[in-house]
Amino acid sequence: MTDIDDDLIAAQRRPSYLRFLSLGISGVLIVGGAFVMYRWISGPEILSTFRRIDWRWLIPAIFAYWLQNPITALRMNCVMHWLMQPGSPAPPSFRLILKVTLSSAFIAVTAPIGLMADVAKIGALKYFGQMSTSHAIRCTFFDRVIAVQWMALFALATLPLQWALDVPRGSIGIQFLVCASVVVAIVVLLILPNLLGIFDHKIVLKLARLFSGYKIMFPLRRSAVQMVISAANLTLAFATLYCLLRSIGFTTNLTVIACFVPFLQIVNGVPFLYMGWGGREIAMAATVGVATGLSINQALALSAIWGVTLILAGAINGVFVFGDWHSHRSPATPPTGMPPVG
């Protein structure tokens, strides 16, 4: 416990300006989403929508969204095994990875900054998974990048279908710009380590090592695994939306809704948003609100209920925060004389 306590004390002494910056960005986006809600939806209308929720459909919606947690843990487990180097210590057990994933989902609910869930995950992997800080950051970062990458690819793949379904061109254009930006960011991530390696500076070289190795994720078999996992997550997200539509009695074109799910999941996963609030309302207004049989008011009401569902699904995971975390440490202990991965 001494080494853990020392690390925690040192962490408390670090500058907090990054936390305030993250909180500021999150606050601005939430205020933007609140403005959209205020502008297009009346208080009585959204309250009326909430009052007629059918819990027989809301509970399956919460469960469907919660099921993404074990699937996400499976992806993280794969990332850790793919990043293993010859002679390096074994990754943490899947049981620990699952517990970390579930606990970080709860922290995402309790913390005002979405990014705090990733920070908590890195800390748990370091302290209880016997991983170096740099390796824990790489695993967490690559896991998030893989998720966004495949959501963007799936979203781009749906654009021709949206065109055939007469989705407004403006809505298609917004999705294309966002998803194309994600693809460009992935390309930058692939070449960034080599570019940073040009500079002979200790901190820059550390950053280069931290972001290096993402090309390891691209072999065909690994890409197929990532695609299947992402498809499973999208299926559960669509099932959630379907249950929510049934719970409030809305009817719309489910094919068009399915086409928007990858894009909406990208927005839900933005790390500076609190459970997607703010950005999701803007995205729903720009897609579902203009391309389906739902009005803008109904689309924003659906977005609000989806946000509540995310909060409830994450809050359930509070039970996984408790328990003996130290019991997970021994299997991942590196052999004597072997340096940690980093």
Side-chain angles (χ1 to χ4, degrees):
M1 287 292 294
T2 303
D3 57 334
I4 297 176
D5 294 338
D6 291 343
D7 286 335
L8 290 176
I9 293 173
Q12 293 173 353
R13 296 174 179 170
R14 293 170 187 166
S16 59
Y17 68 91
L18 290 178
R19 281 176 289 178
F20 286 111
L21 176 62
S22 300
L23 182 60
I25 295 174
S26 180
V28 168
L29 291 173
I30 290 175
V31 169
F35 174 78
V36 171
M37 296 288 291
Y38 174 79
R39 176 81 182 217
W40 279 309
I41 217 169
S42 64
E45 183 172 355
I46 191 169
L47 290 176
S48 174
T49 301
F50 271 89
R51 278 196 294 266
R52 67 171 183 264
I53 291 176
D54 185 348
W55 286 89
R56 293 173 298 178
W57 283 102
L58 183 61
I59 292 175
I62 296 172
F63 180 68
Y65 206 86
W66 181 89
L67 283 177
Q68 293 187 70
N69 289 302
I71 296 175
T72 300
L74 177 61
R75 185 183 62 227
M76 171 68 87
N77 184 66
C78 292
V79 169
M80 288 184 178
H81 281 84
W82 293 336
L83 287 176
M84 280 186 63
Q85 299 294 329
S88 62
S93 66
F94 178 74
R95 182 166 165 259
L96 174 60
I97 296 172
L98 177 59
K99 190 171 182 179
V100 168
T101 302
L102 295 170
S103 299
S104 65
F106 172 71
I107 292 174
V109 175
T110 58
I113 310 167
L115 193 61
M116 291 303 298
D118 286 339
V119 174
K121 186 180 293 186
I122 292 168
L125 291 174
K126 175 185 177 182
Y127 299 140
F128 306 110
Q130 298 291 283
M131 299 175 65
S132 67
T133 302
S134 60
H135 192 51
I137 292 174
R138 286 181 75 210
C139 290
T140 303
F141 177 67
F142 285 179
D143 178 66
R144 180 175 281 277
V145 171
I146 285 174
V148 176
Q149 169 190 307
W150 282 99
M151 293 301 112
L153 292 176
F154 275 113
L156 289 172
T158 67
L159 295 185
L161 178 58
Q162 293 184 39
W163 185 283
L165 293 171
D166 293 326
V167 171
R169 304 299 179 258
S171 179
I172 294 177
I174 291 172
Q175 295 174 77
F176 175 79
L177 288 176
V178 172
C179 297
S181 298
V182 171
V183 174
V184 171
I186 299 297
V187 174
V188 172
L189 177 61
L190 290 172
I191 64 176
L192 184 62
N194 292 332
L195 293 177
L196 293 177
I198 298 175
F199 302 95
D200 187 15
H201 191 279
K202 185 177 180 180
I203 296 179
V204 175
L205 292 177
K206 282 187 176 181
L207 285 174
R209 288 194 296 270
L210 190 63
F211 295 122
S212 65
Y214 189 68
K215 62 182 179 181
I216 297 175
M217 307 297 159
F218 281 93
L220 183 59
R221 181 174 297 181
R222 295 178 180 179
S223 295
V225 171
Q226 298 165 27
M227 182 180 69
V228 171
I229 291 174
S230 298
N233 277 328
L234 286 175
T235 301
L236 290 170
F238 173 74
T240 301
L241 276 177
Y242 173 77
C243 292
L244 292 177
L245 286 167
R246 294 297 300 268
S247 72
I248 52 182
F250 288 170
T251 57
T252 185
N253 189 327
L254 293 177
T255 302
V256 176
I257 291 289
C259 290
F260 292 146
V261 168
F263 174 68
L264 295 174
Q265 281 292 85
I266 292 176
V267 177
N268 275 333
V270 174
F272 290 111
L273 288 176
Y274 172 70
M275 305 296 291
W277 285 94
R280 181 180 54 252
E281 282 64 54
I282 296 172
M284 289 286 273
T287 54
V288 176
V290 300
T292 66
L294 301 180
S295 66
I296 292 288
N297 290 352
Q298 290 174 324
L300 292 175
L302 175 63
S303 178
I305 295 172
W306 195 8
V308 172
T309 300
L310 266 63
I311 292 175
L312 294 175
I316 294 172
N317 294 326
V319 298
F320 297 98
V321 175
F322 304 100
D324 184 11
W325 284 81
H326 290 277
S327 64
H328 298 283
R329 298 188 70 186
S330 55
T333 303
T336 304
M338 183 173 293
V341 178

